[in-house]
Amino acid sequence: MTNTKLDMLLRGYSLARREVGVLPTEPEREFEGFQSWIEEKYGINSGQSWSKIILFYSVDEHEALQKFFQLFEEYLNKNKSSEVDENSGLSREESIKVR
């Protein structure tokens, strides 16, 4: 499996579910923000897919795939951290001080 093939697999899966009218699951909704997070993280606003951005900053497809999983984990952790901040009623700065 390569980074590019994973991207194509996920795109096909999402398209097929939409085509038959299946609503996105919670993990699928979480993944929807990954593209914009990658663009922000790398400072890129070129319209390139997350897979191409990650590949650009990698030596090869193998490294890009490993990087995808690391970045996705980071993305999920940041989102969970943001949700905790929102649910606690504290500002992000206040919650950082508390931690």
Side-chain angles (χ1 to χ4, degrees):
M1 175 72 70
T2 66
N3 184 54
T4 303
K5 288 179 181 177
L6 176 62
D7 184 20
M8 293 298 108
L9 175 85
L10 293 173
R11 287 174 187 261
Y13 174 80
S14 294
L15 177 64
R17 287 179 58 91
R18 278 193 310 268
E19 290 284 319
V20 296
V22 176
L23 295 175
T25 64
E26 182 63 30
E28 289 169 332
R29 284 193 299 274
E30 284 179 1
F31 187 74
E32 290 172 358
F34 185 66
Q35 174 70 38
S36 58
W37 183 82
I38 287 291
E39 290 172 357
E40 185 177 314
K41 180 169 182 66
Y42 286 100
I44 293 179
N45 192 13
S46 65
Q48 294 295 321
S49 69
W50 58 262
S51 65
K52 289 189 188 267
I53 295 169
I54 294 171
L55 181 58
F56 181 78
Y57 287 97
S58 303
V59 173
D60 58 19
E61 282 277 359
H62 177 73
E63 181 182 283
L65 184 62
Q66 299 306 311
K67 227 181 240 189
F68 163 77
F69 287 106
Q70 293 166 352
L71 289 165
F72 190 61
E73 180 88 20
E74 182 181 338
Y75 166 73
L76 290 176
N77 289 335
K78 288 200 185 261
N79 277 354
K80 287 180 182 163
S81 166
S82 296
E83 288 172 11
V84 168
D85 294 346
E86 289 171 9
N87 292 335
S88 71
L90 298 174
S91 71
R92 188 162 178 10
E93 292 79 19
E94 290 171 327
S95 68
I96 291 170
K97 288 177 188 173
V98 171
R99 292 181 196 161

